[in-house]
Short mmCIF file of all heavy atoms in Angstrom, two decimals:
data_model
loop_
_atom_site.label_atom_id
_atom_site.label_comp_id
_atom_site.label_asym_id
_atom_site.label_seq_id
_atom_site.Cartn_x
_atom_site.Cartn_y
_atom_site.Cartn_z
N VAL Z 188 -2.79 -3.22 -3.51
CA VAL Z 188 -2.96 -4.58 -2.98
C VAL Z 188 -3.82 -5.33 -3.99
O VAL Z 188 -4.97 -4.94 -4.23
CB VAL Z 188 -3.63 -4.54 -1.59
CG1 VAL Z 188 -4.00 -5.94 -1.12
CG2 VAL Z 188 -2.71 -3.87 -0.58
N LEU Z 189 -3.25 -6.38 -4.60
CA LEU Z 189 -3.97 -7.06 -5.68
C LEU Z 189 -3.98 -8.57 -5.50
O LEU Z 189 -3.07 -9.15 -4.91
CB LEU Z 189 -3.34 -6.70 -7.02
CG LEU Z 189 -3.49 -5.22 -7.33
CD1 LEU Z 189 -2.15 -4.54 -7.39
CD2 LEU Z 189 -4.27 -5.00 -8.60
N SER Z 190 -5.05 -9.17 -6.03
CA SER Z 190 -5.17 -10.63 -6.01
C SER Z 190 -5.48 -11.10 -7.42
O SER Z 190 -5.70 -10.30 -8.32
CB SER Z 190 -6.26 -11.06 -5.04
OG SER Z 190 -7.53 -10.57 -5.46
N GLY Z 191 -5.51 -12.41 -7.60
CA GLY Z 191 -5.86 -12.95 -8.92
C GLY Z 191 -4.65 -13.41 -9.69
O GLY Z 191 -3.52 -13.34 -9.20
N ASN Z 192 -4.88 -13.87 -10.90
CA ASN Z 192 -3.84 -14.53 -11.69
C ASN Z 192 -2.66 -13.63 -12.04
O ASN Z 192 -1.55 -13.83 -11.59
CB ASN Z 192 -4.44 -15.12 -12.96
CG ASN Z 192 -5.55 -16.11 -12.65
OD1 ASN Z 192 -5.60 -16.66 -11.54
ND2 ASN Z 192 -6.45 -16.34 -13.58
N GLU Z 193 -2.92 -12.65 -12.90
CA GLU Z 193 -1.87 -11.72 -13.31
C GLU Z 193 -2.50 -10.34 -13.38
O GLU Z 193 -2.81 -9.84 -14.47
CB GLU Z 193 -1.28 -12.14 -14.66
CG GLU Z 193 -0.34 -13.33 -14.52
CD GLU Z 193 0.08 -13.93 -15.85
OE1 GLU Z 193 -0.44 -13.52 -16.91
OE2 GLU Z 193 0.94 -14.82 -15.84
N PRO Z 194 -2.69 -9.74 -12.22
CA PRO Z 194 -3.43 -8.47 -12.20
C PRO Z 194 -2.64 -7.33 -12.86
O PRO Z 194 -1.42 -7.39 -12.98
CB PRO Z 194 -3.64 -8.19 -10.71
CG PRO Z 194 -2.55 -8.94 -10.02
CD PRO Z 194 -2.27 -10.15 -10.87
N TRP Z 195 -3.37 -6.31 -13.28
CA TRP Z 195 -2.77 -5.10 -13.86
C TRP Z 195 -2.97 -3.93 -12.89
O TRP Z 195 -3.96 -3.89 -12.17
CB TRP Z 195 -3.51 -4.72 -15.14
CG TRP Z 195 -3.25 -5.57 -16.33
CD1 TRP Z 195 -3.84 -6.77 -16.63
CD2 TRP Z 195 -2.38 -5.27 -17.43
NE1 TRP Z 195 -3.38 -7.23 -17.84
CE2 TRP Z 195 -2.48 -6.33 -18.36
CE3 TRP Z 195 -1.52 -4.20 -17.73
CZ2 TRP Z 195 -1.76 -6.36 -19.56
CZ3 TRP Z 195 -0.81 -4.24 -18.92
CH2 TRP Z 195 -0.93 -5.32 -19.82
N VAL Z 196 -2.06 -3.00 -12.95
CA VAL Z 196 -2.31 -1.70 -12.33
C VAL Z 196 -2.07 -0.63 -13.39
O VAL Z 196 -1.29 -0.84 -14.32
CB VAL Z 196 -1.41 -1.38 -11.12
CG1 VAL Z 196 -1.84 -2.14 -9.89
CG2 VAL Z 196 0.06 -1.60 -11.42
N THR Z 197 -2.76 0.48 -13.24
CA THR Z 197 -2.49 1.62 -14.11
C THR Z 197 -2.02 2.75 -13.20
O THR Z 197 -2.45 2.85 -12.06
CB THR Z 197 -3.73 1.97 -14.97
OG1 THR Z 197 -3.35 2.98 -15.92
CG2 THR Z 197 -4.89 2.48 -14.14
N VAL Z 198 -1.08 3.53 -13.72
CA VAL Z 198 -0.42 4.51 -12.87
C VAL Z 198 -0.42 5.89 -13.52
O VAL Z 198 -0.17 6.01 -14.72
CB VAL Z 198 1.05 4.07 -12.61
CG1 VAL Z 198 1.76 5.02 -11.66
CG2 VAL Z 198 1.11 2.65 -12.06
N ASP Z 199 -0.71 6.92 -12.74
CA ASP Z 199 -0.61 8.30 -13.19
C ASP Z 199 0.61 8.94 -12.53
O ASP Z 199 0.94 8.59 -11.39
CB ASP Z 199 -1.85 9.11 -12.76
CG ASP Z 199 -3.09 8.72 -13.56
OD1 ASP Z 199 -2.94 8.15 -14.65
OD2 ASP Z 199 -4.20 8.98 -13.08
N ALA Z 200 1.26 9.85 -13.24
CA ALA Z 200 2.42 10.53 -12.66
C ALA Z 200 2.39 11.99 -13.07
O ALA Z 200 2.26 12.30 -14.26
CB ALA Z 200 3.71 9.86 -13.13
N ALA Z 201 2.47 12.87 -12.10
CA ALA Z 201 2.38 14.30 -12.40
C ALA Z 201 3.10 15.14 -11.36
O ALA Z 201 3.54 14.63 -10.33
CB ALA Z 201 0.91 14.72 -12.50
N VAL Z 202 3.22 16.41 -11.68
CA VAL Z 202 3.77 17.39 -10.76
C VAL Z 202 2.70 18.46 -10.63
O VAL Z 202 2.30 19.05 -11.63
CB VAL Z 202 5.08 18.01 -11.32
CG1 VAL Z 202 5.65 19.04 -10.35
CG2 VAL Z 202 6.10 16.93 -11.62
N SER Z 203 2.17 18.63 -9.44
CA SER Z 203 1.05 19.56 -9.29
C SER Z 203 1.06 20.21 -7.91
O SER Z 203 1.89 19.89 -7.06
CB SER Z 203 -0.28 18.82 -9.49
OG SER Z 203 -0.42 17.84 -8.48
N THR Z 204 0.13 21.12 -7.69
CA THR Z 204 0.06 21.82 -6.40
C THR Z 204 -0.56 20.89 -5.36
O THR Z 204 0.00 20.66 -4.31
CB THR Z 204 -0.79 23.10 -6.54
OG1 THR Z 204 -0.30 23.82 -7.65
CG2 THR Z 204 -0.69 23.94 -5.29
N ASP Z 205 -1.76 20.41 -5.67
CA ASP Z 205 -2.41 19.45 -4.78
C ASP Z 205 -1.92 18.06 -5.12
O ASP Z 205 -1.74 17.75 -6.31
CB ASP Z 205 -3.94 19.47 -4.98
CG ASP Z 205 -4.58 20.65 -4.30
OD1 ASP Z 205 -3.85 21.43 -3.65
OD2 ASP Z 205 -5.81 20.79 -4.40
N VAL Z 206 -1.76 17.22 -4.11
CA VAL Z 206 -1.32 15.87 -4.44
C VAL Z 206 -2.47 15.08 -5.07
O VAL Z 206 -3.62 15.22 -4.68
CB VAL Z 206 -0.77 15.10 -3.21
CG1 VAL Z 206 0.58 15.65 -2.82
CG2 VAL Z 206 -1.72 15.10 -2.04
N PHE Z 207 -2.14 14.32 -6.06
CA PHE Z 207 -3.03 13.44 -6.82
C PHE Z 207 -4.12 14.19 -7.60
O PHE Z 207 -5.15 13.64 -7.95
CB PHE Z 207 -3.68 12.39 -5.89
CG PHE Z 207 -2.70 11.76 -4.94
CD1 PHE Z 207 -3.04 11.54 -3.60
CD2 PHE Z 207 -1.44 11.38 -5.37
CE1 PHE Z 207 -2.13 10.97 -2.72
CE2 PHE Z 207 -0.52 10.80 -4.49
CZ PHE Z 207 -0.87 10.60 -3.17
N HIS Z 208 -3.90 15.46 -7.85
CA HIS Z 208 -4.82 16.23 -8.69
C HIS Z 208 -3.97 16.84 -9.81
O HIS Z 208 -3.29 17.85 -9.61
CB HIS Z 208 -5.53 17.31 -7.87
CG HIS Z 208 -6.40 18.18 -8.72
ND1 HIS Z 208 -6.58 19.52 -8.46
CD2 HIS Z 208 -7.11 17.89 -9.82
CE1 HIS Z 208 -7.38 20.03 -9.39
NE2 HIS Z 208 -7.72 19.06 -10.22
N ALA Z 209 -4.02 16.19 -10.97
CA ALA Z 209 -3.17 16.60 -12.10
C ALA Z 209 -3.67 17.92 -12.68
O ALA Z 209 -4.71 17.95 -13.34
CB ALA Z 209 -3.17 15.50 -13.16
N ASP Z 210 -2.96 19.01 -12.40
CA ASP Z 210 -3.42 20.31 -12.91
C ASP Z 210 -2.26 21.21 -13.34
O ASP Z 210 -2.45 22.37 -13.64
CB ASP Z 210 -4.25 21.03 -11.83
CG ASP Z 210 -3.41 21.44 -10.63
OD1 ASP Z 210 -2.25 20.95 -10.53
OD2 ASP Z 210 -3.88 22.23 -9.80
N HIS Z 211 -1.03 20.65 -13.35
CA HIS Z 211 0.10 21.53 -13.66
C HIS Z 211 0.98 20.97 -14.78
O HIS Z 211 0.88 21.40 -15.91
CB HIS Z 211 0.89 21.80 -12.39
CG HIS Z 211 2.06 22.70 -12.60
ND1 HIS Z 211 1.93 24.01 -13.01
CD2 HIS Z 211 3.40 22.49 -12.43
CE1 HIS Z 211 3.13 24.55 -13.12
NE2 HIS Z 211 4.04 23.65 -12.77
N ASN Z 212 1.82 20.00 -14.45
CA ASN Z 212 2.72 19.42 -15.45
C ASN Z 212 2.72 17.90 -15.34
O ASN Z 212 2.60 17.37 -14.23
CB ASN Z 212 4.16 19.89 -15.21
CG ASN Z 212 4.43 21.24 -15.86
OD1 ASN Z 212 3.79 21.61 -16.85
ND2 ASN Z 212 5.35 21.99 -15.30
N PRO Z 213 2.90 17.22 -16.46
CA PRO Z 213 3.05 15.76 -16.36
C PRO Z 213 4.44 15.45 -15.79
O PRO Z 213 5.35 16.26 -15.92
CB PRO Z 213 2.95 15.30 -17.81
CG PRO Z 213 3.43 16.46 -18.61
CD PRO Z 213 3.04 17.70 -17.85
N MET Z 214 4.59 14.31 -15.18
CA MET Z 214 5.93 13.88 -14.77
C MET Z 214 6.53 13.13 -15.94
O MET Z 214 5.88 12.26 -16.53
CB MET Z 214 5.85 12.97 -13.54
CG MET Z 214 7.23 12.56 -13.02
SD MET Z 214 7.13 11.25 -11.80
CE MET Z 214 6.66 12.18 -10.36
#
Side-chain angles (χ1 to χ4, degrees):
Chain Z
V188 171
L189 296 115
S190 63
N192 302 338
E193 284 170 354
W195 286 82
V196 284
T197 188
V198 183
D199 288 339
V202 180
S203 63
T204 309
D205 282 359
V206 288
F207 315 137
H208 176 214
D210 67 348
H211 180 63
N212 275 334
M214 183 191 281

